Amino acid sequence: KQEVTQIPAALSVPEGENLVLNCSFTDSAIYNLQWFRQDPGKGLTSLLLIQSSQREQTSGRLNASLDKSSGRSTLYIAASQPGDSATYLCAVTINNNDMRFGAGTRLTVKP
Amino acid sequence: NAGVMQNPRHLVRRRGQEARLRCSPMKGHSHVYWYRQLPEEGLKFMVYLQKENIIDESGMPKERFSAEFPKEGPSILRIQQVVRGDSAAYFCASSPGLSTEAFFGQGTRLTVV
């Protein structure tokens, strides 16, 4: 059974700091891993998608890595801004496009 | 190309009533997924549908819940005889195919009073 864990559950950093969010999963048989952002009371915004054959993806100040064999992914956010404050969710896709989500990391970037 | 559209955004139902949640996938997307997010909990998979077919409903409660994705029109998640525990945010996602990026709607927040 696939379990997805995100650490830490909450993180508070001063503006400008670089930070890393962690995601681990128990079964390496995944099709892809996706990072999402969720603002309070809102839907999910896809940030980065990493296919199982890939090691990392970059978009602007975001970089996501995937180590399938060890069941780990990291989301690196460079030069954090208050607008980055949100909950960040990782999800792995298993059979039939069924996604399993972690509980999320609640990020607060203080001005 | 509009994103995934869900309506209504907010829905209030009394116990025992029916709730119908609609999801229009992105243009060109034939795969639809429904997820439920309970207060202070993560997203849980409910059902995966393609046009006119339920592919995987392993996350759906056995009673009162049903989903469809007809040939024409939006996907519908139906909850009959709602109870307070059904209060949650229900998210729909769509993708063009397997193992492709999924795009989420803004969600429908159901409150059962």
Side-chain angles (χ1 to χ4, degrees), chain B residues 11-20 82 110-113:
Chain B
L11 182 61
V12 179
R13 284 287 176 266
R14 296 185 185 280
R15 278 179 296 171
Q17 290 185 319
E18 178 179 282
R20 290 167 64 95
V82 296
L110 172 66
T111 302
V112 179
V113 297

Side-chain angles (χ1 to χ4, degrees), chain B residues 71-111:
Chain B
K71 188 176 180 181
E72 301 290 338
S75 175
I76 306 287
L77 179 67
R78 183 182 292 110
I79 311 172
Q80 296 177 304
Q81 299 174 350
V82 296
V83 301
R84 288 238 171 93
D86 296 333
S87 295
Y90 291 83
F91 290 95
C92 166
S94 74
S95 70
L98 283 174
S99 304
T100 56
E101 188 172 6
F103 295 86
F104 279 75
Q106 293 295 298
T108 293
R109 278 151 186 83
L110 172 66
T111 302

Side-chain angles (χ1 to χ4, degrees), chain A residues 31-32 34 36 38 41-44 46-49 51 89 93 95-103 106, chain B residues 9 31 33 35 37 40 42-43 45 48 55-56 58 91 95 97-107 109:
Chain A
Y31 288 98
N32 61 47
Q34 201 164 352
F36 294 89
Q38 185 176 28
K42 300 287 179 63
L44 280 73
S46 177
L47 298 173
L48 290 164
L49 170 74
Q51 298 291 354
L89 298 160
T93 300
N95 57 291
N96 276 339
N97 250 19
D98 179 0
M99 281 193 282
R100 294 279 186 257
F101 282 82
R106 191 174 302 155
Chain B
R9 292 289 306 278
H31 300 240
Y33 322 85
Y35 292 83
Q37 187 174 38
E40 304 305 319
L43 280 143
F45 167 79
Y48 162 42
I55 307 301
D56 181 354
S58 58
F91 290 95
S95 70
L98 283 174
S99 304
T100 56
E101 188 172 6
F103 295 86
F104 279 75
Q106 293 295 298
R109 278 151 186 83

Side-chain angles (χ1 to χ4, degrees), chain A residues 2-5 7 22-30 33 52 54-55 65-74 92:
Chain A
Q2 181 73 267
E3 302 273 351
V4 181
T5 305
I7 294 173
N22 296 291
C23 173
S24 61
F25 47 96
T26 53
D27 188 344
S28 62
I30 64 170
L33 183 144
S52 62
Q54 297 175 324
R55 298 285 297 201
S65 69
L66 174 63
D67 184 342
K68 210 172 74 159
S69 60
S70 67
R72 291 180 184 174
S73 175
T74 61
V92 295

